């Protein structure tokens, strides 16, 4: 975890002074490089064994180039081999990155695997290249004007520069409630952008240009003769990406739920690193909360499943972290400050908070997770909310049949794939608004003004180059990477980074290229993951068909918070921007029809958690950004 901040142009001299008051846990004292047109500050942390040898910013080619690098390289050995240099354990990752940039220029970016953001300054040509990795592990925020460019790893560092305005963009704030398909790149602050996965930024005397330097290829195909070959290849890639991600300085710590994904990462890490201790942390429900009856399709507490995994590996040290209903506003405000946006889920910060506190107490500098697994290793071939095209009818019908074999609602699957006009007519006949519209707490005038329908259409269309079987998986992979980038700033509050080997480009490319039948078979979903993990997980986990239910205590918590929720809705009504965007009458109607118990609340979950919850988060965000308490 490294802090990068800097500027190009006539604004470069302001960088050191404006950062002097910033402090983040785990960040060493700032080091500064100052030139006539370029200035950069780096606050270094130790994330890998090689990080002890980092000295940044670093100069190359007799001072012509300056590099600032935040992150870690997964493919050190391969990169060193391609560069014809020894893989010296004392060589920091930034040294290999600099050698790659000197050798291949911008083409080096597609050769780098891992999580990173970098800034590469060419003092001779007065040219800056800034880039972030392809999977959203790191990002940069930037502001460009006629006077120059200001950039930083985290928003407080950017806002500390006197050139950078802190003005809300009402359009982006409104679109932030549309978690399915928000616009990528713009932030909730006017003229401030976020560098998205697989994108780079070029600055020179001609101005600023942003472009995408890489994207997944949906036309690539991998076909084996034998079914078991897909499993063997999947295991080989999984072992490789997890082994590379386990190159961590300090304690090894991993999240461990009762599901396939975090269990895959934890079990594989234990296999590869034993007897080195591996601390695993499992989130548990609030023991003081009333829970609804456990449905047949899920379970509330994942501790039992996680224990069966930990029991297989003597090197695992298992820790529980029970959720607590604490001060949600304090957690919201920290999230706003570090990410510059409202969260998608109002209670997620409180649900995950105690677990993250436990990780920090263990002294972790990096936390291993498997959050991207649903988009890669444990993906399903079934995807809803994807508009079918001419020629997709046979694939849609086969998908519906597969849904039936899994006891899933067939009619809903077919309806989600129907042309938009058919779906709209279906909803009108039922006397309901479109599904995507019912999820939004926006006023009708705001929906029209923000052209939300256009964003929904883009989401439902998907990549036209992909076939039906790939389109949904491709969209899920890219949205997963986008979500990672939006949350990357939280590491500056936690004091440790998140590292997710299941988000690795090589695993994503493999999963996108193999047949969809590897993911879903008749009566069996997540087919690839179950077979790949059969050699390292107990059958109770590898063959579990039910889902772990996070935040099962949501009704209990929201009921406790009801006075605060009511005061937040009043504050929305009193704030001009919030009242212009959000449907206050609908929010008050939701509060007035509050369910009496956790059981009856399940049918109201969408209204309470998505509509009301996101509105509260957005309203609070607006007041925070405007500097108001109420």
């Amino acid at each position: 975890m490294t802090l990068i901040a800097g500027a190009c142009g006539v604004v470069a001299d302001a960088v050191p002074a404006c950062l002097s008051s910033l402090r983040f846990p785990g960040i060493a004292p700032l080091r500064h490089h100052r030139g006539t047109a370029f200035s950069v500050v780096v606050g270094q942390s130790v994330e890998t064994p090689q990080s002890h040898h980092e000295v940044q910013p670093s100069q190359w080619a007799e001072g012509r180039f300056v590099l600032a690098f935040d992150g870690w390289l997964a493919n050190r050995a391969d990169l060193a081999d391609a560069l014809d240099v020894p893989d010296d354990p004392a060589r920091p990752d930034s040294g290999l990155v600099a050698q790659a940039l000197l050798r291949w220029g911008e083409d080096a970016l597609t050769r780098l695997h891992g999580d990173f953001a970098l800034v590469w300054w060419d003092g001779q040509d007065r040219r800056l290249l800034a880039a972030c990795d392809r999977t959203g592990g790191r990002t940069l925020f930037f502001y460009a004007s006629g006077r120059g460019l200001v950039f930083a790893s985290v928003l407080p560092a950017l806002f500390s520069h006197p050139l950078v305005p802190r003005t809300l963009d009402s359009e982006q704030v409104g679109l932030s409630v549309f978690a399915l398909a928000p616009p990528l790149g713009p932030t909730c602050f006017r003229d401030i952008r976020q560098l998205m996965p697989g994108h780079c930024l070029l600055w020179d005397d001609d101005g600023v240009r942003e472009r995408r330097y890489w994207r997944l290829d949906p036309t690539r195909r991998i076909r084996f003769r034998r079914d078991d070959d897909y499993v063997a290849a999947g295991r080989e890639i999984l072992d490789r990406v997890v082994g590379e991600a386990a190159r961590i300085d300090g304690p090894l710590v991993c999240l461990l739920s009762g599901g396939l994904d975090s269990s895959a990462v934890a079990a594989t890490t234990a296999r590869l690193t034993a007897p080195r201790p591996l601390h695993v942390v499992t989130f548990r429900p609030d023991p003081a909360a009333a829970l609804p009856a456990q449905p047949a399709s899920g379970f509330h507490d994942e501790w039992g499943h996680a224990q069966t995994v930990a029991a297989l590996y003597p090197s695992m040290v298992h820790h529980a972290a029970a959720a607590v209903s604490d001060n949600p506003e304090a957690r919201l405000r920290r999230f706003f400050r570090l990410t510059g946006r409202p969260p998608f889920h109002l209670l997620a910060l409180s649900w995950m908070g105690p677990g993250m506190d436990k990780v920090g107490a263990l002294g972790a500098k990096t936390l291993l997770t498997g959050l991207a697994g649903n988009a890669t290793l444990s993906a399903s071939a079934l995807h809803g909310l994807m508009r079918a095209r001419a020629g997709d009818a046979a694939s849609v019908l086969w998908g519906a049949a597969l849904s039936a074999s899994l006891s899933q609602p067939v009619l809903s699957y077919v309806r989600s794939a129907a042309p938009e006009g058919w779906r709209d007519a279906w909803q009108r006949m039922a006397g309901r608004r479109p599904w995507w519209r019912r999820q939004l707490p926006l006023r009708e005038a705001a929906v029209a003004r923000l052209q939300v329908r256009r964003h929904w259409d883009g989401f439902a269309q998907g990549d036209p180059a992909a076939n039906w079987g790939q389109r949904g998986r491709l969209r899920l992979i890219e949205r997963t990477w986008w979500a990672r980038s939006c949350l990357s700033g939280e590491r500056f509050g936690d004091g440790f980074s998140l590292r997710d080997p299941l988000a690795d480009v090589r695993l994503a490319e493999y999963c996108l290229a193999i047949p969809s039948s590897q993911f879903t078979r008749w009566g069996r979903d997540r087919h690839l993951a179950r077979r790949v993990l059969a050699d390292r997980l107990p059958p109770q986990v590898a063959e579990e068909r039910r889902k772990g239910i996070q935040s099962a205590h949501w009704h209990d918590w929201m009921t406790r918070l009801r006075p605060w929720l009511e005061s937040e809705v009043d504050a929305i009504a009193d704030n001009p921007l919030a009242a212009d965007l959000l449907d206050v009458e609908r929010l008050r109607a939701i509060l007035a029809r509050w369910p009496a118990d956790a059981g009856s609340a399940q049918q109201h979950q969408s209204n309470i958690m998505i509509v009301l919850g996101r509105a509260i988060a957005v309203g609070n965000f607006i007041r925070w950004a405007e500097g108001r308490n109420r």
Side-chain angles (χ1 to χ4, degrees):
M1 179 178 66
T2 299
L3 171 68
I4 299 174
C8 300
V10 299
V11 298
D13 285 343
V15 172
C18 68
L19 289 172
S20 61
S21 63
L22 289 178
R23 296 291 183 271
F24 296 105
I27 299 293
L30 304 179
R31 293 171 53 88
H32 178 224
H33 171 86
R34 178 188 286 124
T36 56
F38 172 72
S39 181
V40 65
V41 168
V42 177
Q44 188 67 48
S45 66
V46 174
E47 189 169 341
T48 67
Q50 289 75 26
S51 299
H52 291 279
H53 306 284
E54 290 279 11
V55 181
Q56 293 195 56
S58 56
Q59 298 187 53
W60 300 85
E62 299 181 343
R64 173 180 172 176
F65 298 99
V66 178
L67 174 68
F69 177 79
D70 167 25
W72 66 282
L73 285 179
N75 61 327
R76 275 182 60 94
D78 290 344
L79 196 59
D81 185 61
L83 289 167
D84 298 318
V85 299
D87 185 13
D88 184 353
R91 187 194 304 273
D93 286 2
S94 65
L96 284 170
V97 171
Q99 294 288 346
L101 289 167
L102 288 170
R103 172 79 65 88
W104 300 304
E106 293 174 29
D107 291 340
L109 298 176
T110 59
R111 295 172 176 259
L112 306 179
H113 294 291
D115 299 341
F116 65 85
L118 63 85
V119 173
W120 181 246
W121 170 251
D122 181 345
Q124 177 176 301
D125 292 342
R126 289 172 54 92
R127 184 175 184 270
L128 177 86
L129 168 68
C132 61
D133 67 81
R134 293 171 277 178
T135 70
R138 297 289 196 274
T139 191
L140 287 171
F141 295 90
F142 62 94
Y143 170 78
S145 74
R147 301 178 60 192
L149 172 76
V150 183
F151 55 87
S153 303
V154 66
L155 274 174
L158 192 77
F159 284 137
S160 68
H161 196 288
L163 177 71
V164 180
R166 195 172 182 271
T167 306
L168 278 176
D169 186 324
S170 60
E171 177 179 346
Q172 300 306 322
V173 172
L175 290 172
S176 70
V177 304
F178 196 20
L180 281 178
L184 306 183
T187 71
C188 290
F189 294 92
R190 189 172 301 158
D191 298 325
I192 294 176
R193 294 183 59 82
Q194 182 174 358
L195 203 54
M196 301 309 297
H199 284 66
C200 66
L201 176 74
L202 303 171
W203 181 91
D204 55 24
D205 291 337
D206 294 328
V208 176
R209 299 173 300 284
E210 185 182 358
R211 69 176 180 86
R212 186 167 188 172
Y213 67 83
W214 178 88
R215 67 175 65 240
L216 280 167
D217 180 6
T219 66
R220 180 171 177 251
R221 299 288 183 270
I222 295 175
R223 298 293 184 267
F224 296 124
R225 288 186 177 183
R226 299 186 312 123
D227 204 48
D228 288 346
D229 291 342
Y230 293 100
V231 176
R235 286 176 177 165
E236 180 182 352
I237 295 172
L238 178 63
D239 287 345
R240 179 177 185 179
V241 297
V242 172
E244 292 170 344
R247 183 172 60 91
I248 290 172
D249 187 77
L252 272 176
V253 185
C254 184
L255 293 184
L256 178 62
S257 71
L260 292 172
D261 301 320
S262 64
S263 297
V265 174
T268 305
T269 302
R271 284 160 57 102
L272 297 174
T273 63
R276 182 180 176 185
L278 171 62
H279 296 271
V280 292
V281 179
T282 301
F283 298 162
R284 303 192 69 181
D286 182 354
L291 300 179
Q294 189 162 276
S297 60
F299 49 97
H300 295 149
D301 192 345
E302 300 182 90
W303 176 253
H305 285 63
Q307 278 187 308
T308 65
V309 177
L312 292 178
Y313 299 97
S315 64
M316 282 192 185
V317 184
H318 201 184
H319 306 270
V324 294
S325 177
D326 54 6
N327 184 347
E329 189 156 14
R331 292 190 182 273
L332 281 175
R333 296 298 172 102
R334 194 194 84 154
F335 185 89
F336 298 159
R337 176 174 178 264
L338 296 174
T339 67
R341 64 179 64 245
F344 300 140
H345 193 297
L346 183 64
L347 297 184
L349 303 176
S350 294
W351 161 254
M352 300 181 66
M356 294 305 187
D357 294 342
K358 171 66 74 173
V359 172
L362 290 170
K365 300 173 184 178
T366 300
L367 173 64
L368 291 171
T369 76
L371 297 174
N374 282 337
T376 55
L377 180 66
S378 67
S380 170
L382 301 174
H383 49 81
L385 307 176
M386 180 63 71
R387 185 177 303 161
R389 300 176 303 196
D392 289 335
S395 297
V396 172
L397 291 175
W398 176 240
L402 287 176
S403 295
S405 76
L406 299 169
S407 300
Q408 296 179 3
V410 176
L411 187 60
S412 297
Y413 184 87
V414 174
R415 189 168 56 223
S416 72
E420 199 67 28
W422 293 11
R423 284 189 280 187
D424 286 353
W426 193 302
Q427 298 294 341
R428 283 196 299 271
M429 286 189 294
R432 307 174 72 185
R433 289 184 291 186
W435 176 88
W436 60 267
R437 176 64 186 93
R438 297 198 302 273
Q439 304 289 308
L440 300 180
L442 298 174
R443 297 172 59 243
E444 290 293 347
V447 171
R449 184 173 70 249
L450 300 176
Q451 302 182 51
V452 179
R453 180 58 181 265
R454 177 171 60 85
H455 293 286
W456 163 253
D457 287 344
F459 175 82
Q461 178 65 37
D463 190 328
N467 63 35
W468 172 258
Q470 291 178 309
R471 217 175 311 152
R473 281 185 286 136
L474 176 60
R475 183 180 66 184
L476 181 57
I477 291 170
E478 292 187 334
R479 292 289 162 174
T480 299
W481 289 343
W482 173 82
R484 290 187 76 217
S485 69
C486 288
L487 300 176
S488 68
E490 282 197 281
R491 68 189 189 276
F492 291 101
D494 293 329
F496 55 84
S497 299
L498 268 61
R499 194 177 290 186
D500 188 349
L502 300 189
D504 190 280
V505 165
R506 293 160 293 181
L507 181 60
E509 287 179 325
Y510 173 73
C511 291
L512 189 64
I514 64 177
S516 60
S517 60
Q518 289 299 315
F519 297 96
T520 305
R521 299 262 174 108
W522 191 265
R524 183 178 170 85
D525 206 6
R526 308 190 188 282
H527 184 53
L528 177 67
R530 298 187 197 282
R531 292 177 296 155
V532 167
L533 302 175
D535 68 340
R536 61 199 69 188
L537 295 183
Q540 180 180 348
V541 175
E543 295 300 327
E544 178 63 81
R545 299 308 198 261
R546 299 174 299 164
K547 295 181 179 179
I549 303 172
Q550 295 186 351
S551 297
H553 46 248
W554 68 268
H555 174 260
D556 184 288
W557 278 14
M558 293 292 273
T559 300
R560 294 188 219 173
L561 294 171
R562 190 173 174 185
W564 177 70
L565 299 173
E566 291 172 345
S567 69
E568 286 291 302
V569 172
D570 290 340
I572 289 172
D574 292 338
N575 183 283
L577 175 55
D580 179 63
L581 292 172
L582 301 171
D583 190 342
V584 174
E585 290 186 8
R586 185 181 180 192
L587 302 180
R588 286 179 169 153
I590 293 171
L591 287 166
R593 295 193 295 266
W594 201 262
D597 54 64
S600 61
Q602 298 310 302
Q603 59 183 319
H604 301 283
Q605 185 173 9
S606 178
N607 268 338
I608 294 175
M609 291 305 299
I610 297 179
V611 178
L612 177 64
R614 285 185 186 157
I616 296 298
V618 169
N620 204 295
F621 172 79
I622 291 171
R623 296 200 310 278
W624 167 81
E626 292 177 343
R628 308 184 189 190
N629 290 324
R630 276 281 173 258

